[in-house]
Amino acid sequence: MEFIKEMDEAIALWGEGNIRDAVFNSAEEDLFEFVEVASLISRHHFGSGGSSNENFSFIANSALSGGPHPCSARECRKRKLDQLVSFASLYADEVYIQSPFESVYLRGDRPIREIEREEVLSGISNYLYLKPLIDIGLIKYASVNASFCDLHAEKIAKPLSASIAKKEEKLYQALEGFMLERCKVTFDFVGGNKAKPFFEVTGPEEIIEHGAIYFHAHAPISSLFLPFMEKSAPYSLEKDEVQECNILHQIVGPIVHDLSIQEWHSALNGTSYLCDNRTSLKVASKINSKAYIANSAAFENAMKHYLPTVHFAQVSSILDLRKKEEEAFAVYRDKLNKLMRETRQWNEEEVSKIFRDEILPEINIIDKKIKDWKENSRTSIAEKVLFGVATASFGLYGGVLPSNIGDIVAALGGTSAVVGPLLEFNQTLKEKQEARKNDFYFLWQAGR
């Protein structure tokens, strides 16, 4: 794939073998040049490719794209990427992820802080991890830097921008008010060191990942922290102080921005939303009630609980099976999509119910049919002999077996020595024939 070749070359030429050192020690202009190149490569190769099937083409939110919100810890990002990979390999045609390179590139000539450097390094790491799926077109980079001619700017971009802006304002106010009533904000210093101030925001896990989120100051220290630098730490902020310092914007802003990116991409490329939790779905449905919104967490949890052998299968084996069994994959996915469409925006309980009541019984039926067939075949000596004779006859007719096959068989003690392996092969074929009759054959095969 040309994108992989070009991106690998850009990383190799710029990093010169030590990516981390290049990210944190390069001059700003050199780092900006790299993110510009990476952004332009992505935009060139993953621009709009025409109409998409909204059932299986998605634009992922920031968390599933490996972004820092709502938790920037590497293990959390990795867990979200694994969730993305599971969903993409077992359901999607394509999933667009948000590019960390473009977000830094669009900052323009503003100073590149330590936090931006960390995001560039994380973006490179995520790219290397996702490369096998990017290579086959399952994962793509979304571009929010869309260009329009004057005509389409008036007919498409401006009306869409105005519509999204109105929704953003209402959504921001609603989310901030919701969090103001449910969250507690504390100001403190790391180890008592006044050079390292931070805010801790705690609240229900449905809106705050892990129940707490931390915002640490990066040099130069933002004005956000300055009003509290002389306070006796730890210091709990009053509601009016929370509103005045606008700390909740650090949480609400990325959520609203995230959904705006998804709506832009959905409107321009025909993609559906891919979110990672129930709250994301609720918020997304508020900004675009007509959008098809999938929940990767609900999908993963249901798969993990009811089909663990499929969930824990090697991604490479799933991808190989998709390629080998294209028709079976299409049948399974169409059936699953029909069931998912009947849920309320991929509600987690309903998705789990679909796997428990609709899919798992079908997999069990396949297993039972195969077991019954094996039991019957073991007691059918006639089938074994007839199959062996027929195979030998066919081989002689086609010149595959030697003309003295009869003497060889007799010397080996009869037909069983030759027929045994042939029968095992025949059984394998019949097993697949039995399994293929079921719409969920692909999942059954994936779990084997």
Side-chain angles (χ1 to χ4, degrees):
M1 184 181 186
E2 284 299 312
F3 169 78
I4 296 290
K5 179 183 177 182
E6 292 177 20
M7 185 63 81
D8 283 351
E9 287 180 354
I11 293 172
L13 289 172
W14 175 71
E16 296 182 348
N18 190 332
I19 298 299
R20 186 176 188 85
D21 182 66
V23 169
F24 286 100
N25 296 320
S26 292
E28 285 192 0
E29 56 268 26
D30 293 334
L31 183 59
F32 184 83
E33 183 178 354
F34 168 74
V35 296
E36 180 182 26
V37 169
S39 299
L40 293 176
I41 291 173
S42 300
R43 185 178 180 186
H44 173 71
H45 288 285
F46 299 127
S48 178
S51 59
S52 301
N53 184 340
E54 67 168 10
N55 292 320
F56 311 118
S57 180
F58 298 89
I59 169 66
N61 65 1
S62 174
L64 290 169
S65 300
H69 183 82
C71 181
S72 61
R74 184 58 200 163
E75 57 270 22
C76 284
R77 296 194 191 203
K78 174 63 164 51
R79 179 169 56 84
K80 294 296 184 182
L81 286 180
D82 286 341
Q83 196 176 104
L84 172 79
V85 167
S86 178
F87 180 86
S89 62
L90 287 165
Y91 192 84
D93 275 342
E94 57 184 8
V95 179
Y96 287 86
I97 61 173
Q98 299 175 31
S99 171
F101 310 119
E102 188 173 77
S103 65
V104 178
Y105 169 55
L106 293 178
R107 286 174 56 84
D109 58 359
R110 291 159 62 187
I112 298 178
R113 303 166 298 175
E114 181 183 357
I115 191 170
E116 276 82 46
R117 292 179 184 271
E118 289 177 352
E119 288 312 301
V120 172
L121 181 63
S122 179
I124 294 173
S125 175
N126 293 345
Y127 160 73
L128 296 174
Y129 180 68
L130 295 172
K131 189 158 68 168
L133 279 81
I134 296 173
D135 193 31
I136 61 174
L138 265 183
I139 301 294
K140 301 178 178 180
Y141 284 103
S143 175
V144 298
N145 188 22
S147 299
F148 296 90
C149 65
D150 291 341
L151 175 63
H152 289 124
E154 291 295 328
K155 292 181 64 176
I156 299 174
K158 288 184 179 179
L160 181 58
S161 178
S163 173
I164 293 177
K166 288 181 181 178
K167 293 176 183 177
E168 283 182 344
E169 185 177 356
K170 291 180 180 179
L171 191 57
Y172 183 89
Q173 292 175 353
L175 282 172
E176 185 179 43
F178 181 82
M179 296 185 69
L180 192 62
E181 294 298 322
R182 293 164 177 79
C183 297
K184 177 184 177 182
V185 180
T186 304
F187 177 84
D188 205 347
F189 298 98
V190 178
N193 185 347
K194 285 207 169 187
K196 297 182 178 180
F198 71 92
F199 286 105
E200 177 192 57
V201 183
T202 57
E205 285 204 22
E206 63 178 275
I207 54 173
I208 301 291
E209 188 88 354
H210 312 305
I213 188 169
Y214 300 87
F215 296 100
H216 293 267
H218 291 271
I221 295 177
S222 167
S223 59
L224 184 72
F225 299 88
L226 298 181
F228 308 97
M229 295 295 287
E230 302 304 322
K231 298 285 186 181
S232 179
Y235 175 75
S236 295
L237 279 68
E238 299 291 339
K239 284 186 180 180
D240 59 335
E241 291 178 307
V242 172
Q243 286 184 295
E244 188 175 343
C245 77
N246 212 20
I247 182 62
L248 292 182
H249 177 75
Q250 305 300 314
I251 300 174
V252 176
I255 294 175
V256 176
H257 178 68
D258 207 15
L259 288 167
S260 296
I261 289 176
Q262 287 183 293
E263 182 157 12
W264 267 103
H265 197 274
S266 178
L268 298 177
N269 298 280
T271 48
S272 295
Y273 293 27
L274 180 62
C275 300
D276 64 313
N277 59 56
R278 186 178 306 185
T279 302
S280 298
L281 263 71
K282 287 181 180 179
V283 176
S285 64
K286 293 289 185 183
I287 196 171
N288 189 348
S289 60
K290 295 180 180 179
Y292 181 44
I293 308 171
N295 185 346
S296 61
F299 184 87
E300 183 190 47
N301 290 338
M303 186 72 71
K304 185 188 300 183
H305 187 74
Y306 296 106
L307 297 173
T309 56
V310 178
H311 177 265
F312 291 106
Q314 291 289 329
V315 173
S316 58
S317 66
I318 297 293
L319 297 180
D320 288 343
L321 185 63
R322 275 187 63 157
K323 185 176 180 180
K324 182 180 178 182
E325 299 281 3
E326 290 183 20
E327 296 84 359
F329 176 75
V331 169
Y332 133 75
R333 192 177 57 172
D334 285 339
K335 178 73 173 180
L336 180 57
N337 178 62
K338 183 178 179 181
L339 294 171
M340 293 297 196
R341 282 284 192 172
E342 297 172 0
T343 69
R344 295 191 301 274
Q345 298 287 11
W346 285 55
N347 177 280
E348 189 159 342
E349 288 77 13
E350 291 186 1
V351 171
S352 291
K353 185 178 179 182
I354 286 172
F355 274 80
R356 183 193 68 206
D357 297 345
E358 301 286 346
I359 299 176
L360 185 59
E362 292 296 325
I363 301 298
N364 291 337
I365 286 173
I366 296 176
D367 285 333
K368 183 178 184 302
K369 284 185 176 181
I370 297 300
K371 183 178 180 181
D372 290 346
W373 185 87
K374 284 182 176 180
E375 290 293 331
N376 292 335
S377 67
R378 287 193 188 98
T379 61
S380 178
I381 302 300
E383 178 188 0
K384 180 176 181 179
V385 175
L386 288 172
F387 178 74
V389 172
T391 302
S393 299
F394 179 82
L396 285 170
Y397 178 78
V400 176
L401 302 178
S403 58
N404 61 337
I405 184 65
D407 296 335
I408 295 174
V409 169
L412 292 172
T415 59
S416 60
V418 176
V419 172
L422 295 173
L423 180 60
E424 291 301 318
F425 178 69
N426 186 42
Q427 284 179 332
T428 302
L429 290 177
K430 286 194 173 183
E431 285 180 22
K432 287 191 175 183
Q433 289 171 359
E434 288 291 324
R436 279 182 180 279
K437 297 175 184 177
N438 192 290
D439 289 342
F440 292 102
Y441 162 74
F442 178 85
L443 280 186
W444 175 81
Q445 186 69 15
R448 287 170 67 81

